[in-house]
Amino acid sequence: METLTYREALRRALADAMEEDPDVFVIGEEVGRYGGAYGVTKGLIEQFGPDRLIDTPISEAAIVGTGVGAAMAGMRPVVELMYVDFIGMTMDQLANQAAKIRYMFGGQIGVPMVLRTQGGTGRSAGAQHSQSLEAYVMHTPGLRLAMPATVADAYHLLRQALRQPDPVVFIEHKALYALSEAVDLAAPVPDWGRAALRRPGGDLAIVSYSRQLHHALAAAERLDAEGIAAAVIDLRTLNPLDFETVRGAVEAAGRAMVVSEGPLTAGVAAELAARISEECFDFLENPVLRVAGEDVPISVSPGLEAASVPTPELIVDAARRLMA
Amino acid sequence: MTKTGPAPSNTGLEAHYRQMRRIRSFEERVGELFVRGESAGSMLHLSIGEESAAVGVCSAMRDGDTFTTHHRGHGIFLARGADPNRMMAEIAGKATGYCHGKGGSMHIADMSLGHLGANAIVGGGIPAVVGAALAARRRGTGQLSVAFFGDGAMGQGILYESMNMAALWDLPAVFVCINNQWGMGTRIDQATRVTALHDRAAAFGLAAETVDGRDVREVQAAAARILDGARAGRPGFLAVECYRFFGHARKDKSPYRSPKEEAAGRSRDPVAFARDALIAAGMAEARLDEIDQAIATEMEASIDAAIAAEEPPLQAMFRDVFAPDAPEPEPLARRIDRVLARD
Ligand SMILES: Cc1ncc(C[n+]2csc(CCOP(=O)(O)OP(=O)(O)O)c2C)c(N)n1
C-alpha cells in the first residue's frame, strides 16, 4: 500500500505508459515546462524530454486534430485539454473526425487517442471554467468516455484508456486532484468498461460517477444511520456503459437514483434513468430519480456555484423521500 | 516598432497618468482582496504593467464605441469609465457587482459603457466585435468596435477568421493585441516563429502597427491612427508591447521566468515612465503624491464596500437563463417534491 493523490496517480499512469511504450506522448497547453495547469504532468518533461511533452500554442482545435493525425499514423497521443469547457472549440476534430474515422472509412483505421481534460465545479471559476460536459461526449457515437472517481481509477483507467483501439475522452474532476487515498496499484481492478459496486445495500441503488460518487457515498453513510441501506455504484466509464452491474443493484433494491453533476436535462442521469425505467420496469417501486445539476450556467459566486450542483444533503433528502 | 508618430506632447499626460494610476491601484487592491480571502476564487489576472495599453487605446475611443476584452481586462474597463466599487463587488462575487456576482473577474460586462464582455475563453470575445461593427455600419451609427486580447490569442484560428471578415467588409473594427510577452508559462517566441504580430494582420489587409507600451502618449498616437482609420472604413490591428509584471493568475509565482528577465520587464513600467515625464515637465512630486493618495483612498473604499456587500440570493441562480418573461428553470428540489408527491 502507498498513499497517493489523484493527481499523482494520473502522473504515474502517464509515466508508466511512456516508459512502456515509446509511441505514447503528451501534447497540450502548458503540459511541459509548466507541468500542467493542475500540475498533473509536473516533472515529466525532465524525465521524458520536450519531444514527448509537447507544449503548444493556444490552438485547441489544431491540438486535438494533431492528436487525431498522430494516432492515425500509429502513435499513442495523450492530448490535454486544459478545461473541458474548451471542448466546443475542438468539437469538429473530436466529433466529426476522431469519432467517425473508423466508421466512415469502412473500418480501415482507428484513432487510438486519449483526450485528457478536467471539469466540474468547486473553484469559483465561473461559467466558462466549471462545466460538466460529459453528455456532449456520451451523445456522440464513436467516442469512449472515462471519468475516474478514485485514486486507483485515476491510475488504472488512464492505463486502460491508453490500450484502447478507439478515441477515449478522459474527464478528471478539478475538485479531486488533491484527493489522497491509500492504494495498492498492483491489486486487481475491474476491467475496462466495468462498473464498481462501491457499497452494497438492498433498499436503494444510487448510480453515480466522478466527484458525485463521493457525495453519494457520504449520503449512503448517513442513510445507513437511519436504517436505509443504499447500494452505491461507480460507473467508471460511461462508454462502454456497464448496465448489467446497474441492473443487478436496481433489481435487488427496487428503487433507483442517478446522481450527476452535469445539468439535468438530456444529461447522463437522464440516459441512465431512461434505461433503468425501460429495462428494470417490473422491479421498480418508484420512479427513477435524477439528482443532477440545475439547468443553469455556473456562477462565480461561491454560494450560487455550490447550490447549483447536487450535495450529500440533497441526495439524503431525495433518498429519504424515495423510501417513504 | 513599425511606425512612430510625431513626437508625443505632454498634453493630456496628467490625465493619462491618473487613469493609469487608478488601474494600478485597483489591481493592487484586487490582490489584497484575494489575500484576505474575499475574492470569488483565485482566477484573477492582474494587468499591472499593461496600463498604457488600456489607457492609450481607450483614450482614442469615443462615447458609444463598443469593446470586448480578454480575461485580463480590469484596466481596460476602468479606462472606459467603470465604477471601481461595482467592479470590486463583482470580483468578490457579490450582488452589487456589475453582473450580480454571476460573472466575476473574467466575465464582467456593462452594456451602458459599451462593454460587450470580458471572456475566459482565449479568443472568445473577438468575433463579437466583427458583429458589432457590422451592425454599427448597417445602422450608420458611427460606432467603432474594439477587441482587446493577449498575445496568446494569436494562436487561435478564430482571430484570423475575424480579421479576414472585418477586412473583407471594410468594417469599423479594431483588433488590439496586448503583447505582455507571456501566455501562462509560454513566452511569445515559444508559441510562434513570427513575433512581429502585426505582419499577420497586414496579410489580411488591415492597417497594422506595433507600438512600444512604455510611453502612453505613443500608444495613444498609434491608437488614434488605427481607430480613426477604422472609423473611416479601414479596419486595423494594433499590438502594444508591454510586460506582465506578475504571475499569470494570483497563485502563479512565475517560476519559469528569470529574476533578470522580470527586472528588465518591470523597468519598462508605463506608470513610472509617465510620472517621470510629468516631473521632467515641471510637475511637483508632492502634487503627484497627492494624486496617488487620493486614488488609493478611493480604491481602498471599493474593497471595504465589496466585502460588506450582500451575497446574491439563492433564487438569483435561476434568473437570466432566458429573458425575464420566460419561465425560470424549475429548481431540482422542487422537481423532486413534485415527482415524489404522488399520494
Ligand atoms: C480557449 C482557451 N484556452 C486556454 C485557456 C487557458 N488560459 C487562460 S489565459 C491563458 C494564457 C493567455 O495568454 P494571453 O492571451 O497572452 O493573455 P495574458 O494572460 O498574457 O494576458 C491560457 C492558456 C483559456 N482560458 N481558453
Side-chain angles (χ1 to χ4, degrees):
Chain A
M1 291 295 254
E2 60 180 322
T3 300
L4 281 183
T5 63
Y6 186 86
R7 174 188 286 115
E8 287 162 350
L10 291 162
R11 186 185 307 143
R12 176 89 62 89
L14 289 171
D16 288 356
M18 282 197 280
E19 203 73 73
E20 197 177 286
D21 180 353
D23 288 334
V24 174
F25 69 98
V26 178
I27 181 168
E29 293 159 16
E30 308 294 336
V31 296
R33 288 178 300 267
Y34 196 93
Y38 282 87
V40 170
T41 52
K42 197 151 264 163
L44 293 181
I45 194 169
E46 282 78 22
Q47 204 179 338
F48 296 99
D51 287 346
R52 296 183 75 191
L53 278 116
I54 304 178
D55 282 318
T56 65
I58 308 172
S59 306
E60 285 81 8
I63 298 165
V64 172
T66 299
V68 172
M72 291 175 78
M75 305 289 287
R76 277 272 174 197
V78 180
V79 177
E80 182 175 314
L81 185 64
M82 202 182 282
Y83 284 77
V84 76
D85 309 69
F86 312 156
I87 204 167
M89 315 177 77
T90 75
M91 214 55 181
D92 173 65
Q93 292 303 315
L94 197 59
N96 286 327
Q97 315 303 332
K100 296 180 173 56
I101 279 171
R102 183 186 293 283
Y103 189 84
M104 291 188 302
F105 300 160
Q108 294 179 65
I109 196 165
V111 181
M113 167 183 93
V114 173
L115 181 79
R116 266 193 59 236
T117 187
Q118 59 78 31
T121 55
R123 288 199 64 220
S124 239
Q128 298 174 337
H129 279 62
S130 307
Q131 298 172 87
S132 298
L133 298 180
E134 56 270 22
Y136 288 8
V137 178
M138 197 182 184
H139 190 67
T140 304
L143 297 178
R144 300 297 191 188
L145 175 58
M147 295 189 68
T150 67
V151 172
D153 273 353
Y155 179 84
H156 289 293
L157 283 177
L158 187 49
R159 292 301 309 271
Q160 291 171 346
L162 274 163
R163 294 187 197 108
Q164 300 310 308
D166 292 307
V168 179
V169 178
F170 189 93
I171 309 179
E172 299 150 20
H173 198 295
K174 62 171 68 64
L176 291 180
Y177 284 123
L179 173 71
S180 180
E181 287 174 352
V183 288
D184 174 6
L185 292 181
V189 283
D191 288 342
W192 174 254
R194 297 310 304 258
L197 182 66
R198 299 289 184 202
R199 182 186 176 108
D203 294 332
L204 161 72
I206 305 180
V207 180
S208 192
Y209 60 96
S210 190
R211 181 176 60 156
Q212 288 296 333
L213 172 76
H214 300 276
H215 289 180
L217 287 168
E221 189 73 39
R222 284 190 232 168
L223 290 166
D224 192 58
E226 299 175 18
I228 300 172
V232 178
I233 290 169
D234 176 3
L235 292 171
R236 304 175 71 246
T237 59
L238 298 172
N239 187 330
L241 181 72
D242 175 9
F243 193 71
E244 289 319 303
T245 298
V246 174
R247 183 202 305 282
V250 170
E251 291 186 356
R255 290 182 176 88
M257 177 197 296
V258 190
V259 184
S260 162
E261 190 168 317
L264 180 85
T265 298
V268 172
E271 170 60 23
L272 264 294
R275 221 166 140 183
I276 294 169
S277 301
E278 282 176 351
E279 299 194 26
C280 310
F281 186 73
D282 290 342
F283 295 82
L284 290 173
E285 292 172 38
N286 276 56
V288 183
L289 208 58
R290 289 172 293 159
V291 177
E294 302 284 1
D295 282 325
V296 303
I298 308 293
S299 288
V300 85
S301 145
L304 294 188
E305 178 190 33
S308 61
V309 298
T311 56
E313 294 68 41
L314 184 68
I315 299 170
V316 167
D317 194 48
R320 275 193 202 122
R321 276 184 298 147
L322 256 188
M323 298 306 300
Chain B
M1 314 308 107
T2 47
K3 267 188 228 160
T4 33
S9 77
N10 255 337
T11 327
L13 184 58
E14 186 185 328
H16 287 338
Y17 175 77
R18 281 175 190 271
Q19 293 254 47
M20 293 199 294
R21 172 59 69 192
R22 288 181 86 236
I23 296 171
R24 173 79 45 105
S25 186
F26 181 84
E27 296 288 49
E28 287 164 357
R29 296 310 177 293
V30 171
E32 192 186 323
L33 193 74
F34 170 72
V35 170
R36 289 168 67 175
E38 299 278 356
S39 63
S42 64
M43 294 186 103
L44 304 171
H45 307 87
L46 304 187
S47 62
I48 293 180
E50 309 177 4
E51 294 88 348
S52 60
V55 172
V57 175
C58 290
S59 64
M61 290 172 71
R62 295 185 193 157
D63 283 356
D65 288 349
T66 58
F67 63 105
T68 62
T69 82
H70 56 335
H71 54 283
R72 203 177 299 283
H74 301 161
I76 299 158
F77 192 20
L78 280 167
R80 286 305 290 153
D83 169 1
N85 288 329
R86 290 179 69 196
M87 279 187 74
M88 198 64 86
E90 188 59 39
I91 292 167
K94 297 298 181 71
T96 52
Y98 270 107
C99 308
H100 312 301
K102 287 179 169 174
S105 164
M106 295 198 292
H107 314 93
I108 202 161
D110 181 42
M111 299 310 134
S112 67
L113 290 173
H115 193 351
L116 305 183
N119 222 294
I121 301 297
V122 170
I126 294 172
V129 158
V130 178
L134 188 74
R137 209 211 19 214
R138 194 172 146 76
R139 292 177 165 166
T141 61
Q143 288 165 296
L144 184 74
S145 198
V146 183
F148 291 90
F149 48 90
D151 44 287
M154 296 299 291
Q156 294 287 17
I158 201 160
L159 169 64
Y160 302 96
E161 300 173 26
S162 301
M163 291 199 296
N164 185 48
M165 294 196 296
L168 181 65
W169 300 326
D170 305 321
L171 294 178
V174 171
F175 302 85
V176 175
C177 177
I178 302 180
N179 181 2
N180 64 15
Q181 316 300 320
W182 288 87
M184 286 186 77
T186 302
R187 211 175 47 228
I188 179 81
D189 60 296
Q190 293 166 333
T192 181
R193 287 272 180 248
V194 183
T195 52
L197 303 179
H198 61 271
D199 281 355
R200 293 189 224 168
F204 288 95
L206 277 79
E209 293 189 31
T210 293
V211 65
D212 187 338
R214 193 148 67 129
D215 187 345
V216 66
R217 294 166 297 184
E218 291 200 5
V219 179
Q220 193 206 349
R225 282 193 295 277
I226 295 285
L227 269 65
D228 290 349
R231 240 181 261 284
R234 173 129 199 248
F237 173 95
L238 180 66
V240 184
E241 296 269 347
C242 49
Y243 191 73
R244 192 189 79 203
F245 278 24
F246 297 105
H248 167 67
R250 283 316 290 157
K251 283 186 174 164
D252 176 27
K253 302 272 184 287
S254 315
Y256 42 81
R257 310 200 295 198
S258 73
K260 192 165 155 238
E261 184 206 296
E262 292 201 336
R266 290 183 191 154
S267 75
R268 298 162 35 76
D269 184 339
V271 181
F273 187 88
R275 196 176 211 276
D276 291 347
L278 286 168
I279 292 168
M283 194 162 171
E285 273 201 81
R287 176 75 195 109
L288 284 160
D289 290 344
E290 271 170 39
I291 293 174
D292 292 358
Q293 190 47 53
I295 289 171
T297 306
E298 178 195 2
M299 297 305 166
E300 201 58 52
S302 76
I303 286 212
D304 297 338
I307 292 173
E310 301 271 303
E311 301 283 343
L314 282 190
Q315 184 53 33
M317 181 167 41
F318 303 100
R319 200 174 300 146
D320 295 327
V321 180
F322 292 106
D325 290 348
E328 291 182 351
E330 183 180 22
L332 192 68
R334 197 186 307 154
R335 207 187 126 267
I336 292 173
D337 279 347
R338 196 166 51 71
V339 169
L340 294 182
R342 283 171 310 157
D343 29 42

